[in-house]
Amino acid sequence: MNYETVIGLEVHVELLTKSKVFCGCSTEFGGEPNTHCCPICLGMPGVLPVTNKKAVEYAIKAGLALNCEIAAYSKFDRKNYFYPDLPKAYQISQYDLPIARNGYIEIEVDGKTRRIGITRVHLEEDAGKLIHEEGKNNSLVDLNRTGVPLIEIVSEPDIRSPEEAWLYLNKLKSILQYIEVSDCKMEEGSLRCDVNISIRREGVDKFGTKVEIKNLGSFKAVRRSLEYEEKRQREVIEEGGELIQETRRWDEVRGVTVSMRNKEEAHDYRYFPEPDLVPMVLDKDWIAEIKANLPELPDARKERYVKEFGLPAYDAGVLTSSKALSDFYEECISHYHDPKVVSNWVMVEMMGLLNEKGMEVEQIKFKPEQLAAMLRMMDQGTISGKIAKEVFRDMFETGEDPEVIVKRKGLVQISDEKELERIATKVIEQNQKSVQDYKNGKQKALGFLVGQMMKETRGKANPQMVNEILKKLLG
Amino acid sequence: MEIYRLTIHEAHELLKKREISCEELTKALFDRIKSVDEKIRAYITLDEEGALQKSREVDKRKDFTNPLTGVPVAIKDNICTEGLKTTCASKILENFIPPYDATLSVRLKSRDAVILGKTNMDEFAMGSSTENSAFFATRNPWDTTRVPGGSSGGSAAAVAADECIFAIGSDTGGSIRQPAGYCGVVGMKPTYGRVSRYGLVAYASSLDQIGPITKDVTDCAMVLNAIAGRDIMDSTSADIPVPDYTLSLKPDVSGMKIGIPREYFGEGIDAEVREAVLNAAKVFEKMGASCEEISLPHTEYALWAYYIIAPAEASSNLARYDGIRYGVRAKDYEDLIDLYKKTRSEGFGAEVKRRIMLGTYALSSGYYDAYYLKAQKVRTLVKRDFDQAFKKYDFILCPTAPTVAFKIGENTDDPLKMYMNDVCTIPVNMAGLPGISLPCGFSGNMPIGLQIIGRPFDEPTILQAAYAFEQATEYHLKKPCIDSDTASSGEQKCDKEPDAGKGVIA
């Protein structure tokens, strides 16, 4: 029996505003517990929220970048529930009139473009954090995060595989980073994701019973949990069992989902319009202005790389997948004439080292113009391609200028003809057998002699000149 | 005359001329409080030290340009005062000292008013008699066996008993106007959005409004001048210019059209109340205004819609009192849920619990449309009734409450009967309109309140009408007779038989 998987994602993203969404407190991550708080975000008696316009702007920006319609009239609602990380015992959120709705994201699956619908994007406030101390019978409350602006991005149930979910998340993250509304750091909680998954027999229109999965700490966890869950659901059905609508928790260590609560235990949030805030009339001109100022988005940038720089689609896709990487690349080519050469260095050497060290582009110590300078040193014959790799690694580790590294390590290429002739003569003397082979027509022997010269010069000899000089001396 | 009996404008004149000092005035009020508050019990918290210190500062500064400077005020205990306990008359906030001021407090302080203390109220402003205070009931200065009304009963009683020069209250369904009416003083609920709500502990956010309770209409205009206006801390405060309300104090209503809604004179309205209000209409007619009977057909539904909307908002507003961060926490609890349950069971009184339950139910999934949404539609209809009327009439005249102040304990076992007390005031909150109550007669010894309702942000017109009526009558000059002050001072004359007709101009 064939089954089709149906997945929908709910992604919460913290916005990069300087102050919180309903008060003036800092949104900075970290900080001593309960230091980024005031009577308003602490929910003290009598205080009132005032909406941060920047947060609304960022939500509109996100809506536009996700191809949504922006509401002309939007309002906030209260979502009521008791929990110690929620000081007012309600979250100011949006219920029936979100800022944006009916958008989409395009992802590439097996070379084909798939469009995943975005149901809605709404603005709300974050809750605080509970800290459970090991071995203690109490919990501590940190309200620094309370009131940090969040947008919730709800997808349509258009996703058909864990792989697509993974691609969707990467694309979403990339778009939000491009428009600079969020840093989308899952490890700092600035991007969080819940998923809904159900399966149904192929050809059946009706959705199967859906399960919500929580506690997903990384995109990898999202993919793994979905893979686990689609298999689990298939097994339940094939064994003649019945799925129940429930919320399950992903156990990262065991690699399984565990039931948290079922539908009957679900909360009744008693949503109603927030009376402390007047409804928002979102001015058309303002929306148009935000739209006009949207930066280039990843898909457009990828297309430009292919067209303008002649990069292969795959390379363009990799380079534009993250804004930080793409910005690094662009900065580099503004200092160097050949985009293709830069692309090779960025994709092979730089990304290789990043992967090896488990680092992010933001953590790179050297500047794009330093890479450009190194490439120019290659062009000028100051260093060879081989030496360049060594210089690059050093630059990656120390952040020093390539000139400094070359000098420090004595890596300047030997292009002095006399010096090279002296070394060539020595190599010829010591390798008469190879000389003989070469003279007998074995081209390979020349390679060996070149290698010997490189060895002699610790790789610093100008390879082109070495070739020429050897050929000349060997007649 | 004893200086504690002064109005704001009288006190201001004397302070300005240095005929009295602010310290003298403040001391006189604390003496007055010490002599009568045992009987009235208007205050929850007194700040004698702070007030006297402030009064000396004011005397030193010698700048009495602003009419409120150096004038002693009592503030309802649901308005935050930095460093001064703000309990909302609830056990759950028994120990709560706000680290911030309400905008109202900031505005009074910036004008150097002297804050005497915080007045008693129905717990979280839920009630019409001040009997729902978790601490004690306040008594009506005109008859201490009766309630002062509520929920701003402490503020109204303090003004009536001359335990302050003026007071501040809050009004969600009549909580300024009804106690002002019951205590024979002037109380105004301004238009929703006219006065900032920042720091007013929320009961029902879409209905709550802060306003003055004063000894006469002139004082009311002076206080409104100080407290009205846009506040960036309150998104629902209106960005509409604040006129000088004292310019409306003209004894002239000639040519004005007055609507008298028949729905406010029907069943349940006491005959003497009806007579006094209709008598007031005649006063206006004599001054050149014209009165016509009108209909506000959705009036009868307003009360019931209010008892959906207000509790719904309250159930959410009061959810924050969980014993986690401030206020009182239950002592013994098993786990988090138990902590919530015990704290809230012990911390809230019966009426508050009743409204939290009503509101929670009304917002519950599956009931929202039938209750909350329906009530909002009723609200729109109520507002539309008024909009229609105001196309033709300059203001509306009706009773403030169906009866005069009732006996303590009379309605405590019958919440529905208690709710009926607000039947004349609730529609005004539902429509967000300004309304003022002022004395217009007596039933026996008990004052009767006249309510004047105006267009949104048209406080000037209702102040003008109220001032004209006050100038034409003498009801506001009558003072209650509090037993102990006849004993302590021979000066006070008690009117044994107030005559409702006496004040009407011939």
Side-chain angles (χ1 to χ4, degrees):
Chain A
M1 186 82 65
N2 282 331
Y3 293 94
E4 183 180 48
T5 302
V6 177
I7 297 168
L9 301 186
E10 280 173 27
V11 177
H12 286 88
V13 169
E14 280 183 355
L15 298 180
L16 278 173
T17 54
K18 287 197 179 67
S19 53
K20 293 185 177 180
V21 60
F22 298 120
C23 66
C25 289
S26 166
T27 55
E28 209 180 313
F29 180 75
E32 284 290 298
N34 301 309
T35 53
H36 299 166
C37 303
C38 71
I40 297 171
C41 53
L42 292 177
M44 305 282 283
V47 301
L48 296 171
V50 174
T51 310
N52 178 344
K53 196 177 174 190
K54 204 79 194 165
V56 178
E57 183 189 318
Y58 281 6
I60 293 173
K61 209 169 166 184
L64 290 169
L66 299 173
N67 306 296
C68 291
E69 298 157 15
I70 306 300
Y73 181 88
S74 182
K75 68 170 169 70
F76 288 103
D77 299 274
R78 290 187 185 177
K79 179 180 179 178
N80 297 284
Y81 63 96
F82 284 92
Y83 206 61
D85 68 3
L86 191 69
K88 299 189 298 297
Y90 57 82
Q91 179 193 31
I92 303 179
S93 181
Q94 297 196 282
Y95 185 59
D96 55 345
L97 295 171
I99 285 180
R101 57 189 357 156
N102 297 334
Y104 61 87
I105 282 181
E106 286 180 339
I107 55 172
E108 262 185 49
V109 188
D110 304 326
K112 277 188 216 143
T113 301
R114 283 260 294 126
R115 189 172 272 200
I116 309 296
I118 305 278
T119 315
R120 56 186 279 156
V121 177
H122 75 244
L123 182 59
E124 61 187 24
E125 58 179 340
D126 210 343
K129 274 181 200 160
L130 289 192
I131 300 153
H132 308 282
E133 289 185 300
E134 194 99 15
K136 284 198 180 169
N137 195 22
N138 57 18
S139 300
L140 299 173
V141 187
D142 177 6
L143 298 176
N144 280 353
R145 202 177 67 180
T146 306
V148 169
L150 281 182
I151 48 173
E152 181 177 326
I153 301 152
V154 182
S155 86
E156 289 286 300
D158 288 347
I159 299 165
R160 290 291 171 268
S161 70
E163 169 75 4
E164 284 186 14
W166 191 79
L167 289 167
Y168 169 90
L169 284 172
N170 277 293
K171 192 57 166 288
L172 178 64
K173 175 179 170 179
S174 164
I175 291 169
L176 295 174
Q177 286 178 337
Y178 265 73
I179 60 171
E180 296 177 316
V181 299
S182 176
D183 54 18
C184 297
K185 288 183 186 162
M186 230 169 163
E187 65 282 8
E188 287 183 9
S190 66
L191 187 149
R192 304 193 280 275
C193 177
D194 299 329
V195 304
N196 285 296
I197 174 171
S198 63
I199 61 168
R200 61 183 171 191
R201 273 195 207 162
E202 220 158 61
V204 173
D205 280 343
K206 205 172 155 259
F207 289 131
T209 305
K210 74 172 175 186
V211 163
E212 186 178 1
I213 311 174
K214 287 189 177 289
N215 192 40
L216 300 165
S218 64
F219 288 0
K220 220 167 99 190
V222 171
R223 184 150 69 176
R224 281 179 67 208
S225 72
L226 288 170
E227 282 163 359
Y228 172 85
E229 189 59 24
E230 78 182 340
K231 189 163 158 268
R232 185 191 71 85
Q233 293 188 10
R234 196 175 308 146
E235 282 167 9
V236 169
I237 292 176
E238 279 170 357
E239 281 160 17
E242 205 163 322
L243 290 162
I244 49 165
Q245 190 174 331
E246 60 181 344
T247 302
R248 298 177 71 87
R249 187 175 189 283
W250 171 244
D251 183 329
E252 178 74 28
V253 179
R254 288 161 60 211
V256 297
T257 62
V258 188
S259 183
M260 269 171 83
R261 58 172 180 255
N262 63 32
K263 195 184 167 192
E264 279 68 40
E265 296 165 87
H267 293 291
D268 178 358
Y269 291 118
R270 290 175 280 116
Y271 280 98
F272 75 104
E274 166 57 285
D276 287 332
L277 292 167
V278 288
M280 295 181 282
V281 177
L282 303 175
D283 182 54
K284 264 190 192 157
D285 294 341
W286 189 38
I287 296 167
E289 192 190 315
I290 297 170
K291 192 169 191 175
N293 290 324
L294 272 185
E296 186 181 39
L297 295 178
D299 285 345
R301 198 174 268 200
K302 179 184 168 191
E303 213 181 300
R304 180 162 62 83
Y305 283 12
V306 173
K307 270 191 193 155
E308 277 183 28
F309 305 152
L311 299 185
Y314 175 79
D315 295 19
V318 172
L319 287 173
T320 55
S321 64
S322 118
K323 177 169 160 45
L325 180 65
S326 178
D327 285 349
F328 190 96
Y329 172 72
E330 296 225 353
E331 178 68 17
C332 216
I333 60 171
S334 75
H335 295 280
Y336 190 77
H337 65 283
D338 190 341
K340 183 73 183 112
V341 170
V342 177
S343 156
N344 286 341
W345 277 88
V346 167
M347 284 181 60
V348 180
E349 301 301 325
M350 194 172 102
M351 289 181 68
L353 281 171
L354 285 173
N355 276 338
E356 184 186 313
K357 312 262 175 190
M359 280 165 60
E360 301 289 332
V361 177
E362 291 87 340
Q363 295 167 290
I364 291 175
K365 282 184 182 160
F366 66 90
K367 294 196 172 61
E369 52 258 50
Q370 288 173 286
L371 174 55
M374 192 201 80
L375 296 176
R376 273 196 302 276
M377 287 175 82
M378 268 174 75
D379 293 346
Q380 289 155 2
T382 314
I383 52 171
S384 65
K386 193 162 169 254
I387 292 293
K389 287 186 186 175
E390 192 184 333
V391 173
F392 186 87
R393 183 174 274 271
D394 197 311
M395 189 165 76
F396 189 91
E397 272 157 16
T398 62
E400 281 181 344
D401 280 340
E403 293 85 352
V404 175
I405 296 166
V406 166
K407 217 173 191 180
R408 169 161 53 76
K409 292 192 149 176
L411 295 174
V412 177
Q413 180 162 273
I414 302 168
S415 303
D416 180 340
E417 202 170 335
K418 290 226 170 83
E419 174 69 5
L420 287 175
E421 273 181 18
R422 193 186 61 78
I423 299 163
T425 311
K426 191 179 158 197
V427 166
I428 289 169
E429 271 170 22
Q430 288 169 352
N431 296 282
Q432 278 303 314
K433 191 176 176 299
S434 297
V435 173
Q436 216 41 57
D437 287 350
Y438 175 73
K439 287 185 172 164
N440 292 339
K442 276 194 183 167
Q443 285 297 316
K444 251 189 173 171
L446 183 68
F448 176 77
L449 291 169
V450 169
Q452 289 305 304
M453 271 198 77
M454 284 305 193
K455 201 174 161 190
E456 199 69 27
T457 58
R458 295 208 334 267
K460 291 186 291 184
N462 181 325
Q464 214 175 336
M465 288 178 76
V466 165
N467 259 303
E468 282 163 16
I469 287 168
L470 277 173
K471 278 184 191 165
K472 193 180 81 185
L473 290 180
L474 293 170
Chain B
M1 184 171 71
E2 298 288 344
I3 56 175
Y4 56 75
R5 293 202 185 278
L6 297 171
T7 61
I8 297 171
H9 53 96
E10 289 164 351
H12 175 59
E13 285 306 314
L14 296 177
L15 286 166
K16 211 163 63 177
K17 290 183 202 150
R18 308 282 190 282
E19 286 179 22
I20 56 168
S21 72
C22 177
E23 188 178 357
E24 250 177 278
L25 180 60
T26 306
K27 275 187 174 156
L29 277 150
F30 278 107
D31 287 345
R32 172 68 173 175
I33 291 166
K34 275 164 207 160
S35 94
V36 300
D37 201 50
E38 218 169 68
K39 284 191 169 305
I40 307 300
R41 309 212 71 186
Y43 285 93
I44 292 176
T45 303
L46 287 168
D47 184 21
E48 188 165 1
E49 202 182 313
L52 287 172
Q53 195 191 323
K54 177 81 181 181
S55 72
R56 287 188 283 265
E57 281 169 30
V58 169
D59 283 331
K60 222 184 233 169
R61 212 169 298 141
K62 298 190 178 83
D63 178 5
F64 291 95
T65 323
N66 192 285
L68 297 191
T69 300
V71 179
V73 56
I75 299 179
K76 189 176 180 180
D77 211 21
N78 60 350
I79 297 172
C80 289
T81 41
E82 187 180 339
L84 188 60
K85 217 166 56 168
T86 301
T87 70
C88 294
S90 180
K91 263 198 217 161
I92 213 157
L93 288 178
E94 202 170 9
N95 57 9
F96 179 65
I97 299 173
Y100 50 92
D101 266 327
T103 299
L104 179 282
S105 310
V106 171
R107 292 198 172 167
L108 289 184
K109 285 178 182 179
S110 73
R111 282 153 181 88
D112 286 322
V114 176
I115 296 169
L116 301 173
K118 308 295 289 288
T119 54
N120 198 20
M121 54 188 279
D122 287 297
E123 184 179 3
F124 283 105
M126 297 178 189
S128 313
S129 67
T130 314
E131 292 164 292
N132 294 336
S133 166
F135 308 129
F136 47 82
T138 297
R139 286 150 195 280
N140 192 311
W142 294 88
D143 176 350
T144 52
T145 66
R146 290 175 190 267
V147 302
S151 64
S152 313
S155 286
V159 173
D162 293 309
E163 294 185 62
C164 60
I165 301 296
F166 73 101
I168 297 293
S170 72
D171 189 317
T172 306
S175 284
I176 287 174
R177 290 158 291 157
Q178 185 256 25
Y182 280 5
C183 292
V185 294
V186 176
M188 178 193 261
K189 180 200 95 75
T191 309
Y192 184 79
R194 183 72 292 184
V195 179
S196 169
R197 293 186 294 116
Y198 185 81
L200 165 66
V201 180
Y203 155 26
S205 313
S206 74
L207 299 156
D208 295 342
Q209 189 63 194
I210 289 173
I213 299 179
T214 56
K215 294 177 185 174
D216 64 17
V217 177
T218 304
D219 281 7
C220 180
M222 284 175 161
V223 178
L224 193 59
N225 271 352
I227 66 175
R230 170 77 177 160
D231 174 18
I232 54 160
M233 305 290 277
D234 176 2
S235 309
T236 65
S237 72
D239 196 4
I240 292 174
V242 179
D244 179 352
Y245 293 108
T246 60
L247 299 179
S248 310
L249 303 173
K250 293 171 285 195
D252 178 17
V253 289
S254 58
M256 283 197 185
K257 289 202 180 98
I258 305 169
I260 307 206
R262 78 171 70 94
E263 290 80 4
Y264 288 72
F265 294 84
E267 201 191 329
I269 306 291
D270 181 87
E272 284 184 78
V273 170
R274 185 187 301 133
E275 196 188 326
V277 173
L278 293 176
N279 208 6
K282 282 184 200 141
V283 174
F284 280 107
E285 281 181 334
K286 276 186 186 151
M287 290 189 287
S290 61
C291 297
E292 266 180 60
E293 188 179 298
I294 62 165
S295 173
L296 299 170
H298 297 95
T299 301
E300 64 169 307
Y301 308 109
L303 184 81
W304 310 117
Y306 172 90
Y307 277 102
I308 297 294
I309 292 168
E313 292 181 8
S315 71
S316 175
N317 284 332
L318 272 65
R320 71 187 62 192
Y321 307 111
D322 55 8
I324 302 280
R325 296 165 308 284
Y326 51 75
V328 175
R329 182 189 292 189
K331 280 203 179 69
D332 302 304
Y333 48 87
E334 302 283 315
D335 54 19
L336 181 64
I337 300 295
D338 197 41
L339 159 69
Y340 286 153
K341 277 187 183 165
K342 287 199 172 125
T343 298
R344 291 167 66 81
S345 299
E346 292 166 18
F348 289 137
E351 184 60 28
V352 171
K353 285 178 190 160
R354 182 179 292 126
R355 295 196 197 187
I356 289 174
M357 285 189 278
L358 273 174
T360 304
Y361 184 81
L363 289 175
S364 295
S365 150
Y367 297 97
Y368 181 88
D369 289 1
Y371 293 107
Y372 186 81
L373 206 62
K374 190 91 168 185
Q376 289 291 9
K377 288 177 182 168
V378 171
R379 189 172 182 176
T380 304
L381 293 173
V382 170
K383 190 172 182 312
R384 203 172 290 165
D385 281 357
F386 282 109
D387 289 346
Q388 282 303 113
F390 284 125
K391 281 183 189 162
K392 199 170 167 198
Y393 301 96
D394 295 299
F395 61 88
I396 287 167
L397 207 61
C398 62
T400 301
T403 63
V404 294
F406 46 88
K407 294 271 185 187
I408 289 173
E410 192 180 322
N411 288 335
T412 39
D413 295 333
D414 188 348
L416 286 186
K417 214 175 148 203
M418 188 71 100
Y419 294 171
M420 287 306 292
N421 265 288
D422 297 327
V423 72
C424 303
T425 45
I426 276 173
V428 180
N429 298 76
M430 295 287 272
L433 304 171
I436 190 169
S437 175
L438 69 162
C440 71
F442 289 85
S443 169
N445 190 39
M446 298 311 293
I448 296 169
L450 171 70
Q451 183 175 216
I452 302 174
I453 304 165
R455 297 187 181 100
F457 298 98
D458 194 14
E459 282 83 0
T461 298
I462 61 171
L463 281 166
Q464 186 174 338
Y467 182 75
F469 183 80
E470 191 181 78
Q471 290 298 302
T473 60
E474 288 176 352
Y475 305 114
H476 65 291
L477 299 177
K478 270 189 213 309
K479 289 283 181 181
C481 170
I482 303 162
D483 303 356
S484 66
D485 60 29
T486 35
S488 64
S489 118
E491 192 261 346
Q492 165 68 11
K493 246 183 18 230
C494 289
D495 287 309
K496 294 299 177 206
E497 289 165 29
D499 175 2
K502 193 175 105 184
V504 181
I505 50 165

